Amino acid sequence: QVQLVESGGGLVQPGGSLRLSCAASGSISRFNPMGWYRQAPGKQRELVAVISSGGGTNFAESVKGRFTISRDNAKNTVSLQMNSLKPEDTAVYYCYAVGAVARNAYWGQGTQVTVSS
């Protein structure tokens, strides 16, 4: 049973920073890729950032230059560093992982990020 547990969400002022972490049960070397989606109220879930097992990354245009994604194979975690946050970044952020062999998709329970003054 794969479990992905997010942490690090919260309330932050515009221009501030947050770091989200996703802890996986077991080795993350079996996942390729891993990443983060987000869903704002009344909107569809959208891809925010993805990282491959080789470290390659891709970002939504709306977060390029502000967000970075990293994975720590030793700690079995994937992190999303979010800087220069804007009110439009407000959403529930979900960690996801795709099995490298069977291609099953796994999701965390989500963590709320609210950007507001």
Side-chain angles (χ1 to χ4, degrees):
Q1 182 74 11
V2 174
Q3 285 189 319
L4 302 174
V5 180
E6 301 100 334
S7 62
L11 173 64
V12 64
Q13 292 187 342
S17 298
L18 279 177
R19 185 176 181 86
L20 305 183
S21 290
C22 172
S25 57
S27 173
I28 64 170
S29 62
R30 58 198 161 129
F31 301 126
N32 184 31
M34 297 186 72
W36 295 86
Y37 276 74
R38 68 186 180 187
Q39 187 167 20
K43 294 188 177 181
Q44 290 188 330
R45 192 173 293 191
E46 63 173 356
L47 177 67
V48 177
V50 62
I51 185 167
S52 71
S53 57
T57 59
N58 198 17
F59 297 90
E61 284 295 326
S62 60
V63 307
K64 280 183 179 178
R66 301 188 296 122
F67 290 12
T68 58
I69 186 172
S70 59
R71 60 191 289 168
D72 187 330
N73 291 334
K75 296 182 179 179
N76 295 319
T77 58
V78 174
S79 298
L80 184 70
Q81 178 66 42
M82 306 185 294
N83 300 326
S84 302
L85 283 161
K86 304 175 181 180
E88 51 263 43
D89 294 317
T90 296
V92 178
Y93 284 70
Y94 296 91
C95 176
Y96 86 103
V98 178
V101 177
R103 311 307 292 169
N104 301 62
Y106 304 96
W107 295 89
Q109 82 286 356
T111 186
Q112 177 70 46
V113 172
T114 301
V115 185
S116 175
S117 55

